[in-house]
Amino acid sequence: MKIDILTLFPEMFDGVLQSSILKKAQEKGAVVISTINFRDYSTNKHKTVDDYPYGGGHGMVLKPEPIFSAVEAIPGYDKARIIMLTPQGERFSQKKAEELSKEKHLIFLCGHYEGFDERIRDHLATDELSIGDYVLTGGELAAMVIIDSVVRLLPGVLGNEGSAKTDSFSTGLLEYPQYTRPEEFRGYRVPEVLLSGHHRKIERWRKKEALKRTLLRRPDLLAETSFTQEEKDLLEEIIKEIENQK
Ligand code: ADE
């Protein structure tokens, strides 16, 4: 995969791209990530990239020319997904991360402080994404979030291939609780079933805990899930247990 990030603040990406899994993914050649300062594509002598809004109003607007020129200088840009980051975009999700992880080339457009000229939205971007219902000072942090969640899904990036498959959300449920040694810590014990070596029971316990956690914390997720008979039985058990606690 190739990822190009258009930003006025390329230095914001240094720590994130040069640490941990994102660093390793680049070293392994799973992804090539570049930052491009679109100020370099401004043609006026002050290198401005923004201007006052037509019709008046406060704030500045990113001009179309430097962003169009910077994108058009990227080889193969016409086959890439060109993603604007704004609070008005479609809400990013694990499903979107999975979809983007199948692409060959992603281009991210990060604005900062200000809005984009609408022609960038209408005639350049192929997608517009938001990472949540809050306003950031720019698209950079949103691009980092999306890049992190997409790159970890690329083949060979996570050491343990299974670990992305059991993630929260990719199964439709939140993850079950995990424990490691010691068996007892300050009097708090690991649930007995996990020490039993009984794989079938462990699997059932984990499924039940994942269902319980999702029901209590994110019932909205259950509305989108279809259940096996075992899961329906477990949910019934959980609901009875909750009712008995009342
Ligand atoms: N830019 C500013 N706020 C944003 C958000 N919530 N998501 C994506 N890009 C943004």
Side-chain angles (χ1 to χ4, degrees):
M1 177 180 276
K2 173 91 178 78
I3 296 179
D4 293 293
I5 306 158
L6 269 72
T7 171
L8 296 172
F9 299 90
E11 68 281 2
M12 282 181 74
F13 290 85
D14 292 349
V16 169
L17 297 182
Q18 279 153 41
S19 319
S20 186
I21 302 282
L22 285 180
K23 179 184 183 184
K24 288 208 189 98
Q26 293 172 87
E27 287 171 355
K28 285 180 183 164
V31 62
V32 175
I33 307 178
S34 317
T35 54
I36 297 160
N37 189 336
F38 58 89
R39 193 178 296 284
D40 297 341
Y41 290 83
S42 171
T43 49
N44 65 44
K45 68 171 189 279
H46 299 294
K47 292 276 172 205
T48 51
V49 291
D50 56 4
D51 208 336
Y52 296 100
Y54 274 121
H58 53 82
M60 299 288 273
V61 178
L62 288 167
K63 293 160 66 60
E65 305 94 314
I67 295 183
F68 270 76
S69 300
V71 168
E72 286 162 3
I74 300 170
Y77 78 91
D78 51 331
K79 291 181 205 72
R81 295 283 283 268
I82 303 177
I83 303 165
M84 278 172 86
L85 288 325
T86 81
Q88 299 136 62
E90 178 187 344
R91 181 90 66 89
F92 185 63
S93 62
Q94 188 64 25
K95 190 159 160 259
K96 200 55 149 185
E98 280 160 19
E99 178 193 321
L100 293 178
S101 74
K102 297 188 178 90
E103 296 283 345
K104 293 254 172 316
H105 192 179
L106 306 177
I107 299 174
F108 290 91
L109 309 182
C110 306
H112 215 88
Y113 318 124
E114 43 223 334
F116 291 92
D117 182 288
E118 192 68 12
R119 289 165 290 190
I120 298 167
R121 184 176 270 120
D122 289 345
H123 305 293
L124 186 65
T126 61
D127 296 78
E128 183 171 353
L129 296 177
S130 162
I131 61 163
D133 292 343
Y134 40 81
V135 180
L136 303 165
T137 53
E140 284 80 6
L141 288 167
M144 290 180 212
V145 166
I146 295 173
I147 291 166
D148 186 276
S149 66
V150 168
V151 169
R152 67 189 285 286
L153 297 176
L154 298 178
V157 168
L158 291 187
N160 177 359
E161 281 290 328
S163 62
K165 295 203 181 77
T166 60
D167 281 342
S168 290
F169 309 114
S170 52
T171 59
L173 299 176
L174 301 182
E175 258 193 86
Y176 52 77
Q178 300 262 42
Y179 295 85
T180 187
R181 284 187 285 189
E183 250 179 67
E184 185 173 326
F185 169 70
R186 299 186 178 177
Y188 307 124
R189 288 196 52 78
V190 172
E192 280 316 311
V193 58
L194 297 179
L195 311 173
S196 70
H198 196 305
H199 294 298
R200 180 72 201 98
K201 276 192 188 156
I202 291 171
E203 214 180 289
R204 191 172 189 280
W205 180 85
R206 285 179 166 166
K207 179 58 72 62
K208 186 171 173 183
E209 292 301 313
L211 282 164
K212 194 189 296 175
R213 184 162 280 189
T214 312
L215 179 69
L216 294 175
R217 298 184 185 183
R218 291 292 306 277
D220 57 303
L221 293 177
L222 294 180
E224 292 159 27
T225 311
S226 48
F227 301 107
T228 61
Q229 189 56 48
E230 185 194 36
E231 288 168 337
K232 287 180 192 163
D233 295 345
L234 287 170
L235 271 171
E236 234 171 81
E237 262 181 58
I238 293 163
I239 290 165
K240 273 194 197 127
E241 284 167 18
I242 294 171
E243 278 169 357
N244 288 341
Q245 281 165 17
K246 280 185 188 155

